[in-house]
Amino acid sequence: MDQAGIRKLCDDMSRLIPEAHAEPAGEHLVHTEGYRMINAMSWGTSLLAVIVGVLGVTNTMLMSVFERQQEIAILLALGWRRSRIVRMILLESALLGLLVESSGSAWASSVFS
């Protein structure tokens, strides 16, 4: 039975039995406190995962810059502008983030499907 049929059945039941109120279970569950709590906790967990991921990429890129100070100094001596070096490092961090995101998504879809 489709959603419209279920809704019509609930309306018919409520009309036939005035002291009762019928509604689809899915609509009832969405309005419960437990559902809202679980929903808030899942958003909180997702936010925490994003923050940890951002901090991980930031830490990796900062360590990369500190470890590559001599290389950066050589590039500056060769005439590279600071903006070009910054773009190079930001591109590396974006590619690293994309690689981690895609491999994590592939792993999660293989494990949880």
Side-chain angles (χ1 to χ4, degrees):
M1 186 177 282
D2 62 344
Q3 290 293 334
I6 292 172
R7 187 79 227 148
K8 184 180 180 313
L9 180 63
C10 288
D11 291 340
D12 291 344
M13 289 173 62
S14 295
R15 192 174 47 252
L16 290 172
I17 309 168
E19 59 272 357
H21 175 71
E23 66 179 336
E27 289 180 17
H28 176 70
L29 289 177
V30 170
H31 300 296
T32 62
E33 184 178 345
Y35 178 80
R36 287 194 298 258
M37 179 78 73
I38 290 171
N39 196 21
M41 289 174 61
S42 68
W43 275 104
T45 304
S46 298
L47 180 64
L48 182 64
V50 167
I51 290 171
V52 168
V54 166
L55 290 176
V57 170
T58 302
N59 181 45
T60 302
M61 294 317 300
L62 282 174
M63 290 299 107
S64 172
V65 168
F66 287 134
E67 291 171 356
R68 295 167 61 188
Q69 284 180 343
Q70 291 179 345
E71 178 185 337
I72 292 170
I74 291 170
L75 292 174
L76 287 170
L78 289 174
W80 280 37
R81 290 187 294 218
R82 288 182 187 270
S83 62
R84 186 173 179 188
I85 295 171
V86 169
R87 275 197 323 263
M88 177 186 73
I89 293 170
L90 288 177
L91 179 64
E92 288 176 6
S93 68
L95 290 175
L96 177 66
L98 182 65
L99 176 69
V100 168
E101 182 272 331
S102 60
S103 63
S105 296
W107 174 81
S109 67
S110 69
V111 169
F112 295 111
S113 61

